[in-house]
Amino acid sequence: MSKAQNPFISMNYRGPEYFCDRENETKQIDTYMQQGVHVTLFAIRRLGKTGLIHHVFYPYRNSTSVHCIYLDILPTNSIADLINQLATAIYTRFPDKTSIGKRVLDLIMSFRPVISFDEWTGNPSVSLRLDTPAQQEQSIQSLFQFLDQQGERIVFAIDEFQQILSYPEQHTEALLRTVMQQLQNTSFIFSGSNQKMMHEIFNSAKRPFFASCTNIQLDFIGQEEYATFIHEKFQSHGRSITPEAVEFICAWTRRHTFFTQHLSATVFMLEDQNVDVEHVRAAAINLLKLHEPNFYQYKNLLTSAQWNLLCALAKEEQVKHPTAKKFIQRYQLGTPSLVKRGLEALLHKELIYYNSSVEKPYYEVYDKFLMRWIQHTQR
């Protein structure tokens, strides 16, 4: 008998049956899509932004009236790269057997593209031959405007949007904002993993995208919702898991989506018919051992002061006032100025994050496995 497919996934999107909660956010984004409202999706890293976008898009995968197009621009380093990602996403979404697909293909072919296919996945990659900045600007306007003029609703989700700030072309924001304003049937969902940069793009009055979108803040999934999800997935495979075991999973990972799913998947792979809290504890320790080489790499990349600060934050789990005298003395961190420099370095390396979307903002370690490993080993 073949093994049951693991119902807990931490990468990609497999379908609604594997997706936990986010019912309110799904309805909210879908409503905005129908109304043509632009959305910015804010959330800390690994909280499920990309999965939520694919979940919202899923019912429209075969739609002929609403066309949802997703592109991840993290690998891009310039406007030229962005255009190639955009052309690839459009080319993939519209098969050339359809009438709109034929028109899309004709448009793309007018840019003298190089179209290749990945030998393993078969996925296409489109590279347009654009030699001058003027040609690049013209092509990006043409691609968006062409689809907009087809008389059907188009929704673009651009993931890791903060990447445009690293482009050498300083006018990228202004160019995209100008193009967006000219479209009638097209709306956008912007999301990104660097919250500081995303807030700078969309919430700074000095930037082109200021007040152009409706903001949605993605928070942690509730304890009850996650507990129900985990219980149901075990039960659907004829297995049981105790409430104490589920509570441990949620508490140990702090309901941070990636880590909660990862630990749940690890526990599920144990194949025990009846899972209790001791099974989960053992699985958690094994996960820490598995990732330990990476944790030592983090340590080797940091100064001793930065590492000590990271350990202090991990042990406290949430720190509201890291420059407070009590906190500094407890962990012998030196001076407030040294702590400030350490915070900046750890934020830049994305080892910690600053959650400013709550009433009392705090600093916390991003990687929950790293946090638990520090608590477990750094006495």
Side-chain angles (χ1 to χ4, degrees):
M1 181 182 295
S2 61
K3 293 183 179 180
Q5 189 173 34
N6 201 313
F8 302 101
I9 56 175
S10 54
M11 300 288 289
N12 303 319
Y13 177 78
R14 201 186 294 166
E17 64 270 31
Y18 301 98
F19 193 78
C20 179
D21 193 44
R22 302 294 188 202
E23 293 181 5
N24 292 335
E25 296 93 335
T26 299
K27 292 177 182 177
Q28 192 175 18
I29 295 174
D30 185 71
T31 298
Y32 288 141
M33 280 174 47
Q34 298 295 335
Q35 296 175 351
V37 176
H38 307 303
V39 172
T40 304
L41 188 58
F42 291 102
I44 58 176
R45 190 158 52 94
R46 291 181 167 182
L47 204 59
K49 297 183 301 297
T50 301
L52 175 59
I53 292 171
H54 287 299
H55 186 64
V56 173
F57 280 6
Y58 186 81
Y60 300 97
R61 62 196 183 282
N62 298 317
S63 173
T64 57
S65 58
V66 179
H67 303 284
C68 300
I69 303 173
Y70 171 86
L71 59 153
D72 178 1
I73 65 171
L74 185 61
T76 66
N77 295 300
S78 65
I79 285 183
D81 290 344
L82 171 63
I83 294 168
N84 290 336
Q85 287 286 87
L86 176 62
T88 299
I90 294 173
Y91 178 83
T92 303
R93 178 62 182 83
F94 297 102
D96 57 14
K97 295 180 180 180
T98 63
S99 58
I100 187 173
K102 292 176 182 177
R103 296 193 294 273
V104 166
L105 182 60
D106 288 341
L107 174 66
I108 291 176
M109 294 304 294
S110 70
F111 293 109
R112 299 175 295 128
V114 174
I115 302 177
S116 58
F117 294 86
D118 186 280
E119 62 178 318
W120 297 106
T121 65
N123 294 331
S125 176
V126 178
S127 178
L128 306 186
R129 297 176 179 177
L130 306 168
D131 300 323
T132 67
Q135 288 178 325
Q136 293 174 357
E137 293 184 18
Q138 177 62 36
S139 67
I140 202 167
Q141 290 176 340
S142 297
L143 288 169
F144 280 122
Q145 290 176 353
F146 170 82
L147 289 180
D148 191 70
Q149 293 167 359
Q150 300 307 305
E152 299 174 359
R153 176 147 301 284
I154 308 292
V155 183
F156 279 97
I158 305 182
D159 209 353
E160 302 298 349
F161 189 68
Q162 77 282 338
Q163 188 66 16
I164 65 171
L165 296 184
S166 68
Y167 292 177
E169 299 90 355
Q170 299 296 314
H171 68 296
T172 304
E173 284 180 77
L175 172 62
L176 292 176
R177 179 69 178 110
T178 299
V179 171
M180 191 173 82
Q181 288 177 310
Q182 297 170 349
L183 305 176
Q184 301 296 318
N185 301 305
T186 304
S187 60
F188 291 83
I189 300 171
F190 300 102
S191 67
S193 58
N194 189 309
Q195 295 306 285
K196 181 178 180 181
M197 296 171 73
M198 288 291 289
H199 279 287
E200 177 65 21
I201 293 172
F202 292 97
N203 294 335
S204 172
K206 300 178 182 180
R207 312 298 282 245
F209 276 93
F210 176 69
S212 62
C213 303
T214 296
N215 295 344
I216 295 179
Q217 182 71 44
L218 200 62
D219 204 349
F220 296 93
I221 293 174
Q223 172 79 21
E224 183 178 346
E225 288 77 11
Y226 238 136
T228 299
F229 177 78
I230 295 171
H231 274 295
E232 288 179 349
K233 292 307 170 190
F234 272 87
Q235 289 176 356
S236 67
H237 288 81
R239 298 164 64 185
S240 68
I241 182 170
T242 66
E244 293 78 14
V246 174
E247 184 177 351
F248 181 92
I249 291 173
C250 293
W252 201 76
T253 62
R254 299 187 65 85
R255 290 178 286 113
H256 198 136
T257 300
F258 171 84
F259 303 100
T260 303
Q261 291 281 353
H262 198 344
L263 178 55
S264 298
T266 302
V267 172
F268 188 86
M269 286 189 291
L270 296 176
E271 298 186 333
D272 292 279
Q273 197 68 21
N274 303 297
V275 176
D276 60 27
V277 70
E278 293 307 317
H279 290 107
V280 178
R281 290 183 191 277
I285 295 300
N286 287 335
L287 268 179
L288 297 188
K289 291 179 180 178
L290 179 66
H291 291 277
E292 193 168 54
N294 294 332
F295 301 151
Y296 278 119
Q297 284 187 354
Y298 292 149
K299 183 176 181 179
N300 294 333
L301 291 172
L302 300 176
T303 66
S304 59
Q306 291 167 1
W307 177 252
N308 290 338
L309 176 58
L310 181 65
C311 289
L313 294 170
K315 291 172 183 178
E316 292 289 320
E317 298 193 10
Q318 290 184 354
V319 178
K320 298 179 178 65
H321 306 290
T323 57
K325 182 178 180 180
K326 184 178 180 181
F327 176 72
I328 291 175
Q329 288 183 341
R330 180 182 301 157
Y331 295 102
Q332 300 179 352
L333 299 175
T335 64
S337 61
L338 183 61
V339 171
K340 286 182 180 179
R341 290 197 297 272
L343 289 171
E344 291 174 0
L346 295 176
L347 286 168
H348 179 72
K349 297 176 188 295
E350 294 193 76
L351 288 172
I352 65 173
Y353 66 91
Y354 182 62
N355 191 349
S356 60
S357 63
V358 294
E359 183 179 353
K360 296 180 179 180
Y362 58 84
Y363 291 89
E364 187 169 350
V365 175
Y366 247 128
D367 188 330
K368 296 301 173 283
F369 296 159
L370 172 61
M371 182 184 78
R372 296 305 182 190
W373 180 80
I374 289 174
Q375 293 173 353
H376 186 68
T377 62
Q378 307 297 300
R379 304 298 183 181

